[in-house]
Amino acid sequence: MADDVEGIQLDMADELLGHAADMLADDESTGPQVRFLAGRLTESLQQIVRVAESRGSRLDAILPERPEPRMEERKPDEDVP
């Protein structure tokens, strides 16, 4: 059931991103519309962070001894300790 809810949240976030791109490309968008959009994007991002943390916790429970990725496996934008 949790996977279904996560899937719905991710789908909603994807739809919201499409709406955001359209609205931001429209020179007619008003301040209140953009603020409303920012509020919905914030809510969506909070949900997605919960999904990511939940999945990370489940992975930690299954694979508690996961090694850190080697330098060549890191993405260029990851912080290097």
Side-chain angles (χ1 to χ4, degrees), residues 9-10 12-13 42-52:
Q9 290 172 328
L10 290 169
M12 290 173 60
T42 300
E43 291 169 357
S44 182
L45 185 56
Q46 289 170 337
Q47 291 173 350
I48 299 308
V49 166
R50 278 193 294 258
V51 167

Side-chain angles (χ1 to χ4, degrees), residues 8-57:
I8 291 168
Q9 290 172 328
L10 290 169
D11 289 343
M12 290 173 60
D14 190 46
E15 283 185 39
L16 185 57
L17 285 173
H19 181 65
D22 292 342
M23 182 180 284
L24 294 174
D26 182 1
D27 291 338
E28 303 286 319
S29 296
T30 66
Q33 288 173 320
V34 173
R35 281 191 295 281
F36 181 81
L37 173 64
R40 302 305 68 81
L41 287 168
T42 300
E43 291 169 357
S44 182
L45 185 56
Q46 289 170 337
Q47 291 173 350
I48 299 308
V49 166
R50 278 193 294 258
V51 167
E53 288 173 344
S54 172
R55 289 184 181 204
S57 295

